[in-house]
Amino acid sequence: MIYKILDKNSIPEYINGIPKVVEVLGKGQGLAIEEIGDGNLNYVFKIYRVGSPDRSVVLKQAVPFLRMAGEGWPLTRNRMTYEIRALHAYNDLVPEFVPTVYHSDEEMSVLVMQTLDDHTVVRHSMIHGVIFPNIGHDIGTFLAETLFRTSSLGMRSIDRRRLMDQFNLNDELCKLTEEFVFTFPYMEHESNYSNPATDEFARASIRCDTEYKLGILKFKELFLTKTDALLHADLHTGSLMANSEETFVIDMEFAFFGPFGFDIGKIIANFLLSYTSHFYHSSDDSYQNWLLIEAMTIWKRFETRFLELWDSQGSSAMVAEGFLTGKELREYKMRFLRNILHDSLGFCACSLARRTLGIAGVADIRDISDLHVRSQLEIINIKLSQLLLSMHDKIHTIEQFESTVRTFYANTNLEDMERVK
Amino acid sequence: MIYKILDKNSIPEYINGIPKVVEVLGKGQGLAIEEIGDGNLNYVFKIYRVGSPDRSVVLKQAVPFLRMAGEGWPLTRNRMTYEIRALHAYNDLVPEFVPTVYHSDEEMSVLVMQTLDDHTVVRHSMIHGVIFPNIGHDIGTFLAETLFRTSSLGMRSIDRRRLMDQFNLNDELCKLTEEFVFTFPYMEHESNYSNPATDEFARASIRCDTEYKLGILKFKELFLTKTDALLHADLHTGSLMANSEETFVIDMEFAFFGPFGFDIGKIIANFLLSYTSHFYHSSDDSYQNWLLIEAMTIWKRFETRFLELWDSQGSSAMVAEGFLTGKELREYKMRFLRNILHDSLGFCACSLARRTLGIAGVADIRDISDLHVRSQLEIINIKLSQLLLSMHDKIHTIEQFESTVRTFYANTNLEDMERVK
């Protein structure tokens, strides 16, 4: 089908020809269509049968320009191609954690998928102190299944190169990450966020810290050149929708083959950013404790499930049957997971800094109107980034991570901040 | 053009329609066609004008089966697709070191290129003790130009992903390397070479050496998952044709994006294998000294040229202008090259072992008919592989490499071997 931008008037005809969608929505008149997107990049519509709220789908379409800026700001629709491919891959790998796809169309840059009405965006709920009982466990499972099963441990090399080939040209979005995650925040750049006290601290600390900057480059190099597994590549708390039972991962347009630690480090960083923000949002440390326990659960569950998958696998592209003795294989697995932890902590440090200093902040902190309060929290995040980057290859277990982070926060000095809004 | 297998009868018509080839060969009757390939995989013809030996081209065509085994052993022609693409890339990057391409045709799996009549295959010449005065320098230049200029230091990310895309599906040949370079030689496997004393030593040494095998896995993982730059990926002395002035690199069907150290380590290993073989082929150590000096020259020239290219480059995908101070950048470059040296030595160790124990030996040693002499040389290579793998990240300069290798060979015990054929 030739590309055209869909709207409320043309959607009924478009979806009418798609049996799977008709199956969900039912036949005939009586559909309602609402635009529900945030309007920045894509069009997102909810389509449902009036009187039957269970009969509902979400239709997402990319347009060839930055929607918030208009047609004068062109942007290719390729991002939807990669989101479609990643969602299909994830539907095979982890159907319980991603919306069911009813229809996809790379030509039209359209996805039609399951509605998530009973779920909220995790970032905003976390600001309000909502507890998601399964979230750490779910994210850990998601990470283990997706990373193991698209790695050289879980996939035949030829199949893996063919899957990789579907994502290799996601170059525009990879470039955004190269620049906005791994470059601009650590130097003076016009795109950066600005808050005077925070800027001053950044200038006096990380931006003149050689080892810190060379550490960032180590992780930038991994991002640019390591193809361990299929990554979501934008796995923050705004890409999660959850309720007390379920967790869904959405918005996978950045997907590509990258280093193991990237998704893990990024999502843990977002839990830590929320932790920091709750010096302001909470009146005591109970929610912060929950956040840290869940962040640790992400890793623990990831590690457990990753090793289970490995144990149940015989020969792999990486380790042929008979190459190692049982004892050697156990040693190899231990070192392998330890390396992933090291890299995850390095990427976590990058995310903490870039979400503090770069253009894309987190609402957890950027939405606090008092600049002085905000800068205190921002400086905490920069210091935590420094600490984790300097320690990333010396923290060998998740328990060492916990004690490092707890000690760090316990020594945090928030002179002027009351633990109340 | 629909694929068909060319022969002496159909070649004249095929090349007649190609202006660039006609330009070299001249028009009209009077062409001679000789088959010159080794006959294992592909058909290779030399086409020349009788009486005008300068008017000459080489035509290489892949057939969809293993030629030496016949049509009953199918093998895709994809290898020629990657050879064509790599030769085009190298013609842009380093035209002085590769044959000029006159014509390529992925559909027909055909390459027509410059004849190298005045050059010999380096491996065979080295067995006979031929000195190539420029070879180390030329290889170093080739490596620096190709690796730097296809890396994130020398190429924009988007262009790089597009170039990478041309090689991503070279999966069959990558898989051969995974298995025959990084897996089978280190375990009991039916494909391995066998020589009783050598087998016994391998079993008693590397095949029960946990750290050695985990070291091999480290480099196998890099091969599987690191995409630093466009590699030749089969750069041994049999892929070089040279004379006293020039060096040409040929046979690039394994080309793909892989780790920096792979090509460097492999070619240095082949110089060391020749070094070992000259305990038998030479009556004194003069040729061995030349080989070691040239092996060092490969690295020295590579490093010098790589840094020159880097110095002449401003901002890059890896290091944006202004990200580091001048002093920090110098430190980063030093560490970057040191890491490449470490990885090169690791890959060198893999090549030494696999060329000794695996199916694909080197004629330098495998052509020695006395099994006892051969096994002594093979055991030297295994020991050198062990030494270099265990030391790879402790050798920080090429001078340390030299003294490590010289000390190793000086302590070599060749009881029963006279330095004469």
Side-chain angles (χ1 to χ4, degrees), chain B residues 125-183:
Chain B
S125 299
M126 279 187 171
I127 292 172
H128 298 104
V130 176
I131 299 258
F132 296 101
N134 304 323
I135 198 164
H137 192 272
D138 285 350
I139 297 169
T141 306
F142 171 84
L143 289 168
E145 297 280 347
T146 57
L147 297 178
F148 181 89
R149 293 170 62 192
T150 60
S151 76
S152 293
L153 296 169
M155 218 170 175
R156 293 192 330 138
S157 289
I158 288 177
D159 299 336
R160 209 173 102 80
R161 286 200 165 265
R162 286 174 192 171
L163 182 60
M164 208 183 303
D165 205 55
Q166 292 186 36
F167 298 94
N168 188 41
L169 288 181
N170 197 359
D171 44 27
E172 285 179 318
L173 294 198
C174 283
K175 191 157 185 294
L176 286 183
T177 305
E178 289 168 29
E179 295 181 342
F180 290 99
V181 177
F182 293 108
T183 306

Side-chain angles (χ1 to χ4, degrees), chain A residues 96-276:
Chain A
E96 67 274 39
F97 297 121
V98 291
T100 305
V101 191
Y102 301 130
H103 174 70
S104 66
D105 184 338
E106 289 190 12
E107 288 300 308
M108 280 286 286
S109 300
V110 162
L111 255 177
V112 184
M113 56 193 160
Q114 178 185 2
T115 309
L116 299 173
D117 269 341
D118 303 330
H119 307 76
T120 59
V121 175
V122 169
R123 181 178 310 287
H124 301 299
S125 298
M126 278 186 171
I127 292 172
H128 297 105
V130 175
I131 300 258
F132 296 101
N134 303 324
I135 198 164
H137 192 273
D138 284 350
I139 298 168
T141 307
F142 170 85
L143 290 167
E145 297 279 348
T146 57
L147 297 178
F148 181 88
R149 292 170 62 191
T150 60
S151 76
S152 293
L153 296 169
M155 219 169 175
R156 293 194 328 140
S157 289
I158 288 178
D159 298 337
R160 209 173 102 80
R161 287 202 165 264
R162 286 175 191 170
L163 182 60
M164 209 184 302
D165 203 56
Q166 292 187 34
F167 297 94
N168 187 42
L169 288 180
N170 196 359
D171 45 25
E172 286 179 317
L173 294 198
C174 283
K175 190 157 186 296
L176 286 183
T177 304
E178 289 167 29
E179 295 181 340
F180 291 99
V181 176
F182 293 108
T183 307
F184 300 151
Y186 316 94
M187 58 194 280
E188 304 294 325
H189 194 271
E190 57 185 5
S191 72
N192 286 335
Y193 161 82
S194 178
N195 182 355
T198 307
D199 296 354
E200 197 185 324
F201 185 81
R203 245 175 245 132
S205 59
I206 58 170
R207 287 184 190 154
C208 59
D209 179 342
T210 301
E211 287 306 319
Y212 182 85
K213 286 192 287 176
L214 296 184
I216 296 292
L217 280 179
K218 168 180 169 178
F219 289 99
K220 182 176 184 181
E221 201 217 328
L222 282 179
F223 180 83
L224 281 162
T225 61
K226 200 77 165 51
T227 56
D228 292 327
L230 178 62
L231 303 185
H232 179 287
D234 196 29
L235 193 64
H236 57 81
T237 46
S239 300
L240 298 177
M241 294 190 70
N243 60 24
S244 59
E245 277 134 39
E246 292 179 311
T247 311
F248 281 85
V249 176
I250 61 169
D251 288 351
M252 41 209 74
E253 67 264 39
F254 281 80
F256 83 116
F257 271 72
F260 280 128
F262 188 74
D263 280 352
I264 306 169
K266 193 163 196 170
I267 191 63
I268 289 177
N270 274 267
F271 276 65
L272 296 177
L273 290 162
S274 178
Y275 187 114
T276 302

